[in-house]
Amino acid sequence: MEKFRSELTKFIDGLYEGDKKVLVHGEGRIGARLMLIGEAPGEQETLQGRPFVGKAGKNLDEFLELVGIDRSELYVSNAVKFRPTRISEAGRIVNRPPTQEEIRLFLPWLKREIGMVGPECVVTLGNVPLKALCDRRVTIGEVHGRFIDCEGLRVYPMYHPASMIYNPALREVYRADVERLAQWLRVSEK
Ligand code: URA
């Protein structure tokens, strides 16, 4: 994995020479049963160099704890490995969604990363990783909380944990989806 990370860093450094990007690599156990994939790191993730350690990560941890899944059992990563930003009207650096070009750029790397981790199931968080790995036409609203096959990969789509910040009604849906996932983990344990 170290070799993979340094190759990826070199590749991105070469592309964005004049605009250095700070990469936030995936973290967790190689051979983890579950690999969680988010959209892209935010400010906190970039500062701390770890995925899902900001507000969205706190939401995620809260729900995982509720069903007895520990972060140490997982591998957590993102579809895009640097923070996509723009300047707001107030002149601040804020997050923006990754572009199709950025998602496409990282996709082969993401697939290699999945191959190295070898999870039984990939949990996509939000539309970005779902559409990157599966059909672009599927939407999270249609497929969340059930297992789907994406080119031979078992994928379990869930809403992005930040979506509950903007839409608290999703908390119940999120809880039900995480519970179903935890139950599958228990039942399918070898
Ligand atoms: N949102 C994401 O999609 N990924 C992170 O790592 C943090 C927030």
Side-chain angles (χ1 to χ4, degrees):
M1 192 56 90
E2 271 318 305
K3 185 165 168 277
F4 167 80
R5 288 179 184 164
S6 69
E7 272 179 34
L8 174 55
T9 306
K10 239 189 245 160
F11 171 71
I12 296 295
D13 279 354
L15 281 181
Y16 291 91
E17 246 177 274
D19 174 21
K20 270 257 179 230
K21 302 287 188 193
V22 178
L23 295 191
V24 177
H25 292 288
E27 70 170 22
R29 250 185 0 99
I30 303 297
R33 295 185 66 198
L34 292 182
M35 176 166 174
L36 273 55
I37 304 175
E39 183 172 300
E43 184 182 19
Q44 272 309 312
E45 286 75 20
T46 305
L47 286 172
Q48 297 184 42
R50 297 180 55 208
F52 282 105
V53 289
K55 249 195 208 150
K58 301 270 174 307
N59 271 352
L60 181 65
D61 288 346
E62 182 195 325
F63 279 86
L64 292 175
E65 267 166 35
L66 218 61
V67 296
I69 299 177
D70 198 277
R71 268 282 273 260
S72 64
E73 299 168 36
L74 310 172
Y75 187 96
V76 182
S77 195
N78 280 299
V80 169
K81 306 259 191 300
F82 57 69
R83 179 189 180 202
T85 57
R86 65 178 175 85
I87 306 294
S88 74
E89 277 170 22
R92 290 181 36 235
I93 298 173
V94 294
N95 296 341
R96 62 164 170 79
T99 62
Q100 284 310 313
E101 200 185 333
E102 288 163 343
I103 295 166
R104 255 200 312 271
L105 182 70
F106 280 98
L107 187 56
W109 296 89
L110 178 63
K111 288 185 174 170
R112 264 178 73 186
E113 194 181 14
I114 295 172
M116 279 186 286
V117 176
E120 289 170 35
C121 178
V122 166
V123 180
T124 53
L125 302 172
N127 265 320
V128 168
L130 172 66
K131 285 174 181 284
L133 290 172
C134 305
D135 193 314
R136 284 237 353 104
R137 288 164 300 185
V138 293
T139 66
I140 189 73
E142 294 160 1
V143 294
H144 71 91
R146 54 189 170 94
F147 293 91
I148 57 174
D149 179 278
C150 298
E151 294 176 23
L153 202 61
R154 182 188 283 119
V155 173
Y156 187 80
M158 297 210 326
Y159 281 99
H160 192 280
S163 54
M164 289 176 279
I165 301 169
Y166 312 107
N167 182 2
L170 277 183
R171 289 182 70 84
E172 278 311 303
V173 177
Y174 213 81
R175 187 185 169 126
D177 288 355
V178 176
E179 272 171 0
R180 207 166 299 125
L181 180 64
Q183 184 175 2
W184 173 81
L185 270 181
R186 281 192 296 271
V187 170
S188 64
E189 194 160 18
K190 287 171 197 138

